[in-house]
Amino acid sequence: MKRLLSTVALAHGLLVVAITALARWGLGGPPTALLAASWPLWAPLALLLFPAALWTRRRAPLAAQGAALLVVGAWIGPLLLPSRAVVGDERLRLMTFNTALGALDAAALVALLDQHEPDIVALQEMVPALSDPLPAALGERYPYRVLAAEGQTIALLSRFPIRQQAWIAAPGAGRAALRVELDRGGEPLIVYAVHPRPPAVAWIPQLMIPAGIDARATQAQLLAIAARAEGEAGEVVVLGDFNSIELSPAIARLGTTLVDAFRA
């Protein structure tokens, strides 16, 4: 029994550390991306396997599980920390919502906005059946808007005046991102609304067997947005449906200069 637990604890600990490191650096290819995507399902098993490794009294499994426990703690720990202001001294209420190609109507969307009262809203997968009746349903709410342009499915609603707006082309054949400059009390606030294409299934050539997840195009667009955000003067918000996991290089890079509003 101890030998089996030792083997499982050692293999699991090494896998947690290896996949976390590879995913953070964007290495390992589609198989690593697939394991990283399911990381929250199997990595926290370290909470159970660390005591098991202690019981076996074997150094290698204990060391591997100790390292895995540190990695898991670094991921879960920030969720338990006190919140921080997202922008400046006043808290902004931000909302991003994927409409799933109009799965709800305009009235239902407005009811959702009334419930949460966000200051800035990014909407994804907007379709004419939703965007056309939305202005009438909003009424006086969110007087400053960028509704999805032709060929685009991103929209933005704001309580603050819009100074400038532009669509930012994505690398390759990705979806364009929306950049707006808002007037927040006389100070500029830059907002990027993004929705990169989701990762694709990677197949073994000729065999048509799935080999993992190809997230290269998704990461390329988010890394380009991260680089733009880093070059902006003043306060910046990046929000949307990132189609990415927290272990991905792009999310890690965004987190080096921006506050994660979901965790704040």
Side-chain angles (χ1 to χ4, degrees), residues 8-41:
V8 172
L10 177 61
H12 176 269
L14 293 176
L15 191 63
V16 168
V17 174
I19 293 301
T20 301
L22 290 172
R24 278 296 190 186
W25 290 99
L27 303 174
T32 296
L34 179 60
L35 286 171
S38 59
W39 190 94
L41 300 177

Side-chain angles (χ1 to χ4, degrees), residues 66-208:
L69 202 59
L70 288 175
V71 171
V72 172
W75 177 66
I76 297 176
L79 296 174
L80 308 177
L81 296 176
S83 62
R84 295 181 290 168
V86 177
V87 178
D89 297 326
E90 297 182 8
R91 181 172 290 273
L92 275 176
R93 293 182 67 86
L94 305 172
M95 179 177 180
T96 178
F97 186 76
N98 189 316
T99 70
L101 299 175
L104 75 173
D105 59 23
L109 176 57
V110 171
L112 187 67
L113 298 177
D114 287 341
Q115 177 184 352
H116 295 283
E117 299 183 335
D119 298 308
I120 303 169
V121 185
L123 300 170
Q124 303 88 42
E125 296 193 6
M126 293 288 286
V127 293
L130 178 58
S131 59
D132 290 348
L134 187 58
L138 285 171
E140 298 299 321
R141 306 172 186 85
Y142 303 101
Y144 309 104
R145 312 162 185 167
V146 180
L147 297 181
E150 183 177 355
Q152 308 297 340
T153 58
I154 293 176
L156 186 130
L157 311 176
S158 172
R159 299 187 190 277
F160 309 112
I162 297 175
R163 293 179 176 178
Q164 300 178 10
Q165 66 184 63
W167 292 97
I168 309 299
R175 297 170 177 149
L178 175 63
R179 179 193 182 275
V180 298
E181 179 181 326
L182 304 179
D183 185 338
R184 183 170 180 254
E187 296 296 328
L189 173 63
I190 306 301
V191 178
Y192 286 92
V194 301
H195 186 208
R197 295 189 184 280
V201 176
W203 302 88
I204 298 177
Q206 299 179 340
L207 298 179
M208 292 305 293

Side-chain angles (χ1 to χ4, degrees), residues 214-231:
D214 186 352
R216 290 174 295 180
T218 307
Q219 292 300 294
Q221 180 171 4
L222 286 178
L223 287 169
I225 293 296
R228 281 182 167 272
E230 292 166 2

